[in-house]
Amino acid sequence: MANLRESEKASEGGSEAADWRAGESPNSRGSGGAHLSEGDIHAFLDGELAVGEHAAVQEHLATCEQCRRELAALRRLFIALDELAPAPDLVPTVRARLAGLSPALPQRSWRRWLPLALEAAAAVALLAWAVTRPAAFWAGLFGTWPADFGAELSGWWSGTWGSIVAWLASLWADLPSWPADTWSALQAWLGSLPTLDLQLSLPQWALWVGLLVVACLVGNALLLRRAALNGHTQ
Amino acid sequence: MAQLDAVQEKEWLLLARGGDVEAFAPLVAAHQRVVYRIALRITGNPQEAEDVAQEAFVRAFERLDRFDPARPFAPWLYRIVHNLALNRVRRDRTPAVLGDWLEDERGTGPEAAAIAAETLERLRQAIAGLPENYRRVIVLRHFEGLSYQQMCAALGVPLSDVKSWLFRARRALQKSMG
């Protein structure tokens, strides 16, 4: 390395002279207390030394406190400069690579949907059980509350569906290309929709709607959490 | 990206251990800067550092079932990237910087963080105040990761000039850090 420093100085000519301490090659260093040159220390930290030179510098550093201090001081600058250097966003590429791995881990992927599926199943089961209870069940449970709301709702159900069917019929009349037998089948299906005997009182309706809303909110909380996960990665 | 607190990190880790790739994304976002810095310090090259950092996260995800969630995640992750970066560099050449990177990354409290922020701001201003040639070599070496030879080619000057400018610039910046 001493030879290299001499040839570099000779080639500088009009350009700025390198301002580093004159130092011997690490390979020729003895126990006389010679230190690393500034160029050696910088090149060592920059990874610009050949393997042999790198090893020689390391060997010197193992025995020279002063050179270790200078190296540490320069290294602190390198670390601070790393802090200022722009860092890439690795999330999209890591996500893409992990997504490519996920087919290899099929036993793990379905579990995250299990809580939401259980919530949905519980909400549907609860509602189905509630609407199939006879009026006497609720009367016994909640007392003599007015039941006309359920009757009104049943009437709305029948009347509204009838209105919908009539509306669709008028729409159908304006669609000349629609096959007639398909429309007849659709009419028959719509007409066969059940009318529910919803003999529940208003407070009972409020209770079951409230439970359904809670079940939906809890289920949606899981979906919102998933959206928050995506938000974290922005 | 806000840092995760210990409780949040544990929640994401438990989900990620079950194979949830989306749950791993916040962990990547929280640690990517440090992981990249470790890789950059060892490889000395931004492109290689980015490859190594990505590979480290992929390896960490694959090995999550071997990780004990009761222990801190960061040291385990940093050890993965450290080993990957060293293997990459040893395969090709001598490492750029060797040292106790974990000591560097260890937090030392709000006071230390405030001091560090002030020092970085001084350093930022010092870089902006450097003569143009000195600033260019600092940017090319430390922000772009160019080697000495690559800087010579980019700037069209001899190696001796590149080294001279670089070493003087660093000396000036060291003084600004106090």
Side-chain angles (χ1 to χ4, degrees), chain B residues 21-53:
Chain B
V21 171
E22 287 305 317
F24 196 62
L27 297 167
V28 175
H31 294 283
Q32 62 180 344
R33 189 164 176 79
V34 174
V35 167
Y36 174 76
R37 276 210 306 269
I38 293 169
L40 183 62
R41 278 183 220 162
I42 295 175
T43 63
N45 178 287
Q47 278 73 44
E48 265 193 311
E50 190 173 337
D51 286 343
V52 167

Side-chain angles (χ1 to χ4, degrees), chain B residues 123-151:
Chain B
L123 184 59
R124 197 178 278 118
Q125 289 173 11
I127 293 172
L130 287 172
E132 187 187 339
N133 287 344
Y134 291 13
R135 189 171 57 252
R136 285 167 79 189
V137 292
I138 288 291
V139 169
L140 288 176
R141 178 72 198 109
H142 289 280
F143 296 173
E144 308 282 337
L146 267 59
S147 66
Y148 290 173
Q149 289 298 336
Q150 287 170 331
M151 284 196 284

Side-chain angles (χ1 to χ4, degrees), chain A residues 37-118:
Chain A
S37 68
E38 184 180 30
D40 287 344
I41 295 176
H42 283 257
F44 177 78
L45 285 176
D46 284 330
E48 293 280 349
L49 294 176
V51 175
E53 291 173 332
H54 186 96
V57 168
Q58 272 191 302
E59 191 183 327
H60 175 80
L61 287 170
T63 57
C64 181
E65 174 68 25
Q66 182 177 335
C67 288
R68 278 202 302 277
R69 273 202 307 271
E70 293 206 23
L71 183 85
L74 187 60
R75 189 159 164 269
R76 277 194 292 277
L77 172 64
F78 276 44
I79 291 167
L81 287 169
D82 282 348
E83 289 279 338
L84 295 180
D89 180 10
L90 301 174
V91 173
T93 43
V94 170
R95 184 195 264 129
R97 286 185 63 176
L98 293 181
L101 290 176
S102 58
L105 305 165
Q107 71 279 9
R108 294 176 176 178
S109 60
W110 58 270
R111 285 185 200 162
R112 62 184 170 133
W113 295 111
L114 186 58
L116 184 58
L118 286 176

